Amino acid sequence: MTSILHNPFFEALSASKHVLIAGAGGGFDIYAGLPLALALNKAGKRVSLANLSFTYLGGTDAPHFAPHVYRVGPKSTGQGGYFPEQALSARLHQHGLPWSVYAFEKVGAKPLLAGYQALVDDLEVDAVVLVDGGTDILMFGDEAGLGTPEEDMVSLSAVSQLKVPTRLVACLGFGIDAFHGVCHVHFLENVAELE
């Protein structure tokens, strides 16, 4: 029987016990990972959520968890009203999902790696799925339109260096990056070249 759980992506996670689903490019990327998180949870995996944040986390009351990492709760408050991680935490809480939402400060690859490694070590995570709510995380740099890959590349660099058994990238939202000038033929060519 074919289902979302029977494919190479989920087979790569079959031995994992605790999976961190992390938004690569900030903003609402973590929201694209929710179907994965729900499917993994249904399969009996422990799931945690994280996101590179565009919110000034020092201006929130979210507790500092590790270098450049904050633990965002359903009642966390921030400045300016833009706080996707808090909105997600509140929504999960409303639905009885006890997942914590961790937010990474927008920093360079080395400090982000330190934050990721602290989170992975503390939570005993054995798999990280880096989620892009689009496709520009797979731009090579020579395409006519790159989208907004800066944050994606920082996250990709950090996660590629993590000491964790399984690291995957998921591009969820094919077509959405056309708004940012990405030609999806280039994305498909890049996937073919990586394959």
Side-chain angles (χ1 to χ4, degrees):
M1 174 185 267
T2 301
S3 78
I4 192 169
L5 292 176
H6 295 265
N7 62 54
F9 183 85
F10 283 100
E11 287 172 16
L13 296 169
S14 64
S16 302
K17 293 180 174 52
H18 189 174
V19 181
L20 176 65
I21 307 286
F28 291 89
D29 275 2
I30 187 58
Y31 286 73
L34 289 177
L36 300 176
L38 292 168
L40 289 165
N41 183 62
K42 187 175 180 180
K45 308 289 183 194
R46 187 171 166 213
V47 175
S48 293
L49 303 173
N51 197 41
L52 184 69
S53 187
F54 289 160
T55 300
Y56 171 56
L57 297 170
T60 73
D61 64 357
H64 193 252
F65 180 82
H68 311 294
V69 185
Y70 291 75
R71 185 176 179 166
V72 179
K75 295 185 180 179
S76 295
T77 59
Q79 302 171 343
Y82 180 84
F83 201 177
E85 297 83 10
Q86 185 280 330
L88 176 57
S89 180
R91 193 72 171 156
L92 292 170
H93 183 74
Q94 286 175 349
H95 289 278
L97 295 169
W99 301 332
S100 294
V101 178
Y102 297 90
F104 294 107
E105 289 180 308
K106 195 174 165 185
V107 293
K110 283 187 178 184
L112 186 59
L113 170 59
Y116 261 106
Q117 196 65 60
L119 187 60
V120 163
D121 292 345
D122 192 78
L123 299 179
E124 298 179 346
V125 166
D126 57 1
V128 175
V129 177
L130 193 58
V131 176
D132 181 12
T135 58
D136 55 359
I137 197 168
L138 291 186
M139 294 296 106
F140 291 172
D142 58 353
E143 297 85 1
L146 294 176
T148 57
E150 296 87 2
E151 292 86 7
D152 295 336
M153 295 302 112
V154 170
S155 293
L156 188 61
S157 176
V159 170
S160 73
Q161 299 174 67
L162 271 178
K163 293 177 182 140
V164 65
T166 304
R167 295 162 298 171
L168 300 172
V169 172
C171 295
L172 305 167
F174 183 79
I176 197 157
D177 286 323
F179 177 77
H180 296 291
V182 172
C183 173
H184 286 84
V185 169
H186 295 151
F187 165 75
L188 295 171
E189 287 174 347
N190 292 352
V191 170
E193 188 170 331
L194 288 169
E195 284 290 319

